[in-house]
């Protein structure tokens, strides 16, 4: 019998008032229930927001250093439980165990980074035009904030929102993705063990249109940080704007990797394959398009196919498996439908393009790593986020054309250029419309201390992580002290 996971409200683990649960399934073996999550309602959300509101005043008065100590403790506990948390992640959403361990350790690094922020400045002194007055700014928390997270980074994303929210004195209601609620429950358990005071961190699972929407609409929620799809993000933005509350959205990408004539082709191949296929292509920063200069196109293609042929796929818990399954049936069908549209548009499938056959794959949402060519940059598969292990090779005649193709999409999250020419690298930095710009590196890749976020429709133009997080999780009070 699968374990039941509860909501965490006002320091207590509780069942939903609905009395119902939903199963979280293993995408590698869809008959295996990883855990039973509470199917919560607006009533549960209201209770969690009330708890967060009641705790807000006392938490805001706790010193940054004391808040930081709780985060340091949570980091140590998470580090001690890395194997268990990572295995839960792999079983729940499918990424391979080494990737899940890497992500969990990123969570540890994020907690330690933000614990240190508790000792840093929260304001400035500004000269007054009046010699008898002192002006200073003081950053203050927003109050209760709702954090709504996706399933593809079930440890890192909740932590990169929770850690800054808490260190700057906000109270939190976390609503994780339904596909990754068990993993998120483990993170909340760790915070509870680290001594987070009651009401400061609350956790409510359930459907997006029930729990998520109730949070976004709740009058006592003063900030909403969302990571997920553009469709959901746009709806959240409309509600938040109409309520006049602060919101932050990080959404999809359509990330290009440009392969220049003089680059190290082996390096480029490695990074393009990793960027496109690691985590089964289910990263907002995944490489969807490889844009290749004509003189190196054939050579690059050959080397890339050679590498793709070596990809082992299967249950991410098994040793030697490089790529796990797609997260669920809807996601699998969405990727298959884009592949079909690519074929109908005249695209040539160089590798993969379908579900693998055989007993080993029949119980999971598996998909072959897929490589396309011969598709116009305007085709749907080159315009919409794929979110699966698929990369399209696009041939261009010049770097200028490569920039144009790279930019000619509505997204602007991350982009790479592979080159050994510093001038071409600097031109790329100037021309590319992306928040995350990488030279000779994979389109995917973030570090906790550096700001992360997109341009165009990928983001609400705010930034997460690093020092940038303070901008969202605080408001500025300008104080004048007059003699
Ligand atoms: P999603 O379907 O938009 O879901 C994201 C979260 O929103 C989930 O917790 C979901 O709950 C919740 N939700 C759904 N409908 C809602 C509503 N009406 N009101 C409030 N909340 C609602 O996205 P996903 O499929 O989990 O994640 C994949 C997407 O995330 C991709 O587009 C990817 O690019 C993007 N992503 C972006 C970044 C970034 O930093 N830019 C990072 C990672 C992922 P349920 O799970 O219960 O439906």
């Amino acid at each position: 019998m699968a374990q039941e996971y509860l909501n965490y409200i006002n320091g207590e683990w509780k069942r939903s008032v609905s009395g119902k649960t939903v199963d979280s399934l293993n995408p590698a073996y869809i008959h295996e229930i990883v855990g039973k999550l509470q199917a919560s309602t607006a009533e549960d959300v209201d209770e969690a927001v009330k708890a967060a509101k009641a705790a807000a005043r006392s938490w805001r008065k706790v010193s940054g250093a004391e808040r930081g100590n709780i985060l340091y403790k949570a980091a140590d506990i998470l580090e001690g439980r890395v194997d268990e948390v990572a295995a839960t992640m792999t079983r729940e959403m499918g990424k391979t165990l080494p990737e899940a361990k890497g992500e969990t350790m990123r969570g540890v690094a994020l907690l330690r980074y933000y614990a240190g922020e508790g000792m840093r400045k929260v304001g400035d002194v500004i000269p007054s035009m009046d010699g008898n007055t002192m002006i200073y700014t003081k950053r203050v928390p927003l109050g209760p904030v709702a954090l709504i997270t996706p399933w593809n980074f079930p440890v890192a994303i909740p932590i990169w929102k929770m850690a800054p929210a808490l260190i700057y004195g906000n109270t939190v209601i976390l609503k994780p993705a339904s596909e990754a609620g068990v993993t998120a429950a483990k993170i909340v358990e760790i915070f509870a063990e680290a001594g987070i005071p009651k009401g400061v961190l609350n956790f409510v699972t359930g459907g997006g249109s029930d729990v998520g929407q109730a949070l976004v609409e709740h009058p006592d929620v003063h900030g909403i940080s969302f990571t997920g799809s553009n469709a959901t993000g746009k709806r959240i933005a409309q509600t938040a704007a109409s309520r006049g509350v602060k919101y932050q959205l990080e959404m999809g990408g359509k990330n290009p990797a440009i392969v220049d004539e003089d680059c190290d082709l082996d390096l480029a191949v490695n990074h393009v394959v990793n960027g496109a296929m690691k985590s089964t292509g289910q990263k907002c920063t995944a490489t969807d398009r490889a844009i290749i200069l004509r003189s190196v196109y054939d050579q690059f293609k050959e080397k890339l196919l050679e590498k793709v042929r070596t990809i082992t796929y299967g249950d991410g818990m098994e040793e030697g498996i490089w790529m796990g399954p797609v997260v669920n049936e809807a996601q699998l069908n969405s990727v298959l439908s884009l592949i079909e549209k690519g074929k109908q548009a005249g695209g040539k499938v160089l590798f993969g393009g379908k579900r693998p056959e055989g007993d080993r794959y029949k119980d999971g949402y598996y998909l072959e790593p897929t490589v396309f060519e011969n598709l116009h940059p305007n085709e749907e598969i080159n315009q919409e986020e794929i979110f699966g292990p698929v990369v399209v090779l696009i041939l261009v005649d010049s770097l200028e054309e490569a920039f144009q193709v790279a930019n000619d999409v509505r997204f602007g999250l991350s982009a790479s250029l592979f080159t050994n020419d510093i001038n071409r690298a600097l031109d790329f930095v100037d021309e590319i419309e992306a928040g995350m710009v990488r030279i000779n590196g994979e389109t995917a890749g973030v570090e906790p201390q550096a700001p992360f976020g997109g341009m165009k429709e990928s983001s609400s133009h705010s930034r997460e992580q690093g020092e940038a997080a303070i901008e969202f999780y605080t408001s500025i009070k300008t104080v004048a002290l007059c003699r």
Side-chain angles (χ1 to χ4, degrees):
M1 180 73 182
Q3 187 177 335
E4 182 177 348
Y5 289 83
L6 306 181
N7 289 334
Y8 187 67
I9 299 177
N10 208 22
E12 279 177 39
W13 293 98
K14 303 184 71 158
R15 288 208 160 75
S16 161
V17 295
S18 73
K20 293 184 190 148
T21 58
V22 276
D23 295 342
S24 180
L25 304 177
N26 181 347
Y29 296 102
I30 53 177
H31 308 297
E32 182 190 329
I33 302 170
V34 179
K36 291 181 167 292
L37 293 163
Q38 301 305 303
S40 308
T41 66
E43 211 178 309
D44 300 301
V45 167
D46 188 51
E47 196 187 340
V49 177
K50 281 199 174 103
K53 187 180 177 188
R57 192 147 186 266
S58 55
W59 183 242
R60 146 162 87 79
K61 289 175 186 257
V62 171
S63 73
E66 279 176 73
R67 290 184 210 132
N69 283 339
I70 295 175
L71 297 199
Y72 279 126
K73 212 164 167 191
D76 292 345
I77 300 169
L78 180 59
E79 193 170 25
R81 286 176 63 177
V82 60
D83 290 340
E84 172 211 342
V85 171
T88 305
M89 189 192 309
T90 297
R91 286 177 59 225
E92 195 173 28
M93 55 70 68
K95 74 172 65 172
T96 64
L97 196 56
E99 286 182 284
K101 280 188 188 167
E103 182 185 334
T104 307
M105 288 313 292
R106 179 132 68 95
V108 172
L110 280 157
L111 284 166
R112 291 193 177 131
Y113 174 84
Y114 281 108
E117 279 296 289
M119 298 291 277
R120 299 211 175 88
K121 69 170 191 153
V122 285
D124 294 300
V125 175
I126 293 149
S128 168
M129 291 162 85
D130 172 354
N132 288 319
T133 299
M134 174 190 173
I135 302 178
Y136 71 94
T137 59
K138 182 181 174 168
R139 287 191 175 267
V140 295
L142 305 178
V145 294
L147 310 180
I148 302 177
T149 55
W151 46 263
N152 65 335
F153 285 98
V155 167
I157 294 181
I159 290 181
W160 86 46
K161 294 183 190 297
M162 278 193 284
L166 293 169
I167 201 73
Y168 299 127
N170 301 280
T171 55
V172 164
I173 309 101
L174 171 67
K175 183 255 174 280
S178 299
E179 299 291 353
V182 174
T183 313
K186 302 232 170 241
I187 302 303
V188 175
E189 270 171 31
I190 285 165
F191 272 89
E193 196 184 328
I196 196 87
K198 69 173 192 167
V200 172
L201 172 60
N202 304 277
F203 170 72
V204 186
T205 58
S209 48
D210 306 315
V211 174
Q213 198 158 329
L215 270 172
V216 174
E217 289 172 354
H218 200 292
D220 288 325
V221 168
H222 295 171
I224 299 150
S225 180
F226 166 84
T227 298
S229 64
N230 283 63
T232 310
K234 274 188 186 157
R235 247 177 283 138
I236 289 177
Q238 280 165 356
T239 310
S242 71
R243 285 185 46 223
V245 293
K246 213 169 171 182
Y247 65 91
Q248 174 185 57
L249 315 170
E250 285 305 332
M251 299 168 288
K254 190 70 195 166
N255 314 300
I258 300 175
V259 181
D260 199 2
E261 288 166 337
D262 72 332
C263 75
D264 176 340
L265 275 186
D266 292 322
L267 179 96
V269 163
N270 227 5
H271 283 311
V272 168
V273 173
N274 286 347
M277 311 292 178
K278 278 268 176 199
S279 290
T280 324
Q282 301 171 121
K283 291 183 186 177
C284 53
T285 48
T287 309
D288 272 8
R289 301 173 293 155
I291 304 172
I292 307 140
L293 276 280
R294 186 177 292 277
S295 66
V296 289
Y297 186 88
D298 288 339
Q299 217 189 333
F300 177 85
K301 178 168 91 178
E302 206 173 293
K303 281 174 179 280
L304 180 121
L305 289 172
E306 208 176 291
K307 181 150 172 79
V308 169
R309 276 186 213 107
T310 67
I311 292 178
T312 48
Y313 46 86
D315 178 1
M317 292 295 281
E318 275 176 38
E319 225 177 293
I321 291 295
W322 194 89
M323 189 176 97
V326 171
V327 73
N328 60 26
E329 193 176 3
Q331 190 60 35
L332 180 69
N333 288 337
S334 148
V335 182
L336 283 169
S337 143
L338 272 177
I339 290 175
E340 200 41 48
K341 285 178 185 165
K343 287 179 187 165
Q344 279 167 17
K348 182 172 172 196
V349 177
L350 297 170
F351 193 88
K354 54 179 177 35
R355 299 187 70 172
E357 282 157 17
D359 264 10
R360 183 167 181 195
Y361 301 114
K362 70 177 179 13
D363 288 334
Y365 299 122
Y366 294 103
L367 190 58
E368 292 171 344
T370 298
V371 184
F372 262 109
E373 69 171 356
N374 280 350
L375 279 161
H376 192 276
N378 289 346
E379 290 299 340
E380 193 173 337
I381 194 168
N382 280 329
Q383 290 290 319
E384 294 305 320
E385 185 180 45
I386 303 173
F387 231 56
V390 181
V391 66
V392 181
L393 311 187
I394 302 174
L395 174 69
V396 289
D397 283 307
S398 66
L399 201 58
E400 290 65 39
E401 188 188 349
F403 293 167
Q404 194 190 327
V405 169
N407 285 336
D408 197 12
V409 290
R410 64 191 173 102
F411 300 100
L413 185 51
S414 72
S416 294
L417 170 68
F418 295 92
T419 188
N420 277 321
D421 182 327
I422 182 72
N423 291 321
R424 287 160 86 89
L426 291 173
D427 284 348
F428 174 68
V429 173
D430 285 347
E431 297 299 326
I432 196 72
E433 295 164 359
M436 309 300 295
V437 182
R438 324 257 304 168
I439 311 293
N440 295 325
E442 192 182 319
T443 55
V446 286
E447 295 197 32
Q449 71 284 9
F452 175 79
M455 293 167 83
K456 294 155 80 175
E457 289 189 37
S458 290
S459 166
S460 57
H461 315 288
S462 39
R463 288 292 178 267
E464 299 196 270
Q465 302 190 67
E467 287 177 13
I470 199 169
E471 298 301 334
F472 179 73
Y473 290 106
T474 62
S475 283
I476 295 177
K477 276 185 181 168
T478 304
V479 183
L481 278 180
C482 313
R483 239 195 277 264

